């Protein structure tokens, strides 16, 4: 399921995310992780297609740059120093992708693929290295992964119970199409949830986490995704 929106409707949530990034970059990065499914919300900047997830990455990265160069914020590390062994490889990948764009007969489509599959993940990779430094910061990111997937699973279960929004074959797919996409998003998050549950056991929160894990497993079963089952089995 994709949603096409005029860019003007995305300005307010982007402004809120910018404010959050200015206050606390760690929380903003965790918010991006939580909003990963928002790539389904599409828009355009001129003739170039974009998504809410892409724009979220850009605004948080822009705030991080301002904080790093203007405020000299201790909140940030230089990600290029941390990833110095990979910088040249990443640069080579970008150059190869640029050549592919220039050779394409559909420039609009190529630019969209270039941003979505190359530029955005690389920007987020460096943003993650710059901002997330402590175990508590990583915990926020991991909790965002699991919360995002579990909420999608819960929404999908509501759809399944009411019998609307499903695939033509009746499989539970939540906001995705096909259901395999939900399974691919859910399985890694379930492993994160399992680790968090194990670390908290026997606290009451761990028991709540275990209940959520059982719900997620039920949702995965209802997707009938062989790839999801295989990923869960192989770990």
């Amino acid at each position: 399921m994709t949603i096409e929106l005029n860019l003007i409707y995305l300005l307010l949530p982007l402004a809120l995310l910018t404010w959050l990034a200015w206050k606390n970059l760690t929380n903003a990065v965790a918010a991006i992780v939580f909003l990963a499914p928002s790539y389904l919300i599409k828009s355009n900047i001129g003739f170039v297609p974009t998504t809410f997830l892409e724009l979220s990455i850009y605004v948080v990265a822009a705030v991080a740059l301002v904080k790093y160069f203007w405020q000299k914020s201790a909140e940030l590390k230089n990600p290029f120093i941390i990833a110095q062994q990979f910088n040249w490889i990443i640069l080579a990948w970008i150059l190869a992708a640029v050549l592919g764009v220039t050779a394409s007969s559909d420039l609009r489509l190529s630019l969209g693929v270039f941003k979505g599959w190359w530029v955005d993940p690389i920007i987020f990779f460096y943003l993650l290295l710059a901002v997330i430094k402590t175990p508590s910061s990583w915990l926020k990111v991991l909790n965002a992964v699991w919360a995002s997937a579990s909420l999608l699973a819960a929404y999908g279960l509501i759809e399944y119970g009411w019998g609307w929004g499903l695939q033509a074959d009746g499989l539970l797919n939540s906001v995705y199409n096909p259901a395999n996409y939900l399974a691919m998003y859910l399985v890694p998050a379930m492993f994160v949830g399992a680790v968090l549950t194990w670390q908290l056991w026997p606290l009451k929160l761990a028991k709540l986490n275990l209940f959520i894990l059982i719900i997620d497993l039920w949702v995965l079963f209802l997707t009938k995704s062989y790839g999801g089952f295989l990923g869960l089995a192989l770990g």
Side-chain angles (χ1 to χ4, degrees), residues 38-65:
S38 66
Y39 77 89
L40 295 170
I41 302 174
K42 300 182 182 296
S43 188
N44 292 281
I45 299 177
F47 74 96
V48 180
T50 189
T51 69
F52 183 75
L53 179 61
E54 287 181 350
L55 297 174
S56 299
I57 293 172
Y58 300 157
V59 298
V60 174
V63 172
L65 286 173

Side-chain angles (χ1 to χ4, degrees), residues 59-156:
V59 298
V60 174
V63 172
L65 286 173
V66 170
K67 283 193 166 188
Y68 184 79
F69 288 107
W70 181 34
Q71 290 193 329
K72 306 295 181 183
S73 175
E75 189 180 2
L76 294 158
K77 289 184 177 180
N78 188 329
F80 297 101
I81 294 177
I82 300 173
Q84 56 185 334
Q85 295 179 332
F86 302 100
N87 291 334
W88 288 108
I89 298 174
I90 291 172
L91 179 60
W93 282 350
I94 291 176
L95 292 175
V98 169
L99 290 175
V101 170
T102 58
S104 173
S105 58
D106 189 336
L107 184 60
R108 183 180 183 275
L109 177 62
S110 298
L111 286 173
V113 171
F114 177 63
K115 289 191 301 83
W117 291 92
W118 298 89
V119 176
D120 300 338
I122 290 171
I123 292 175
F124 187 71
F125 169 71
Y126 283 115
L127 183 63
L128 201 65
L129 292 180
V131 175
I132 307 300
K133 306 183 292 293
T134 64
S136 61
S137 299
W138 280 108
L139 184 60
K140 286 184 179 181
V141 171
L142 293 176
N143 276 317
V145 171
W146 191 34
S148 177
S150 294
L151 283 174
L152 284 183
Y155 173 73

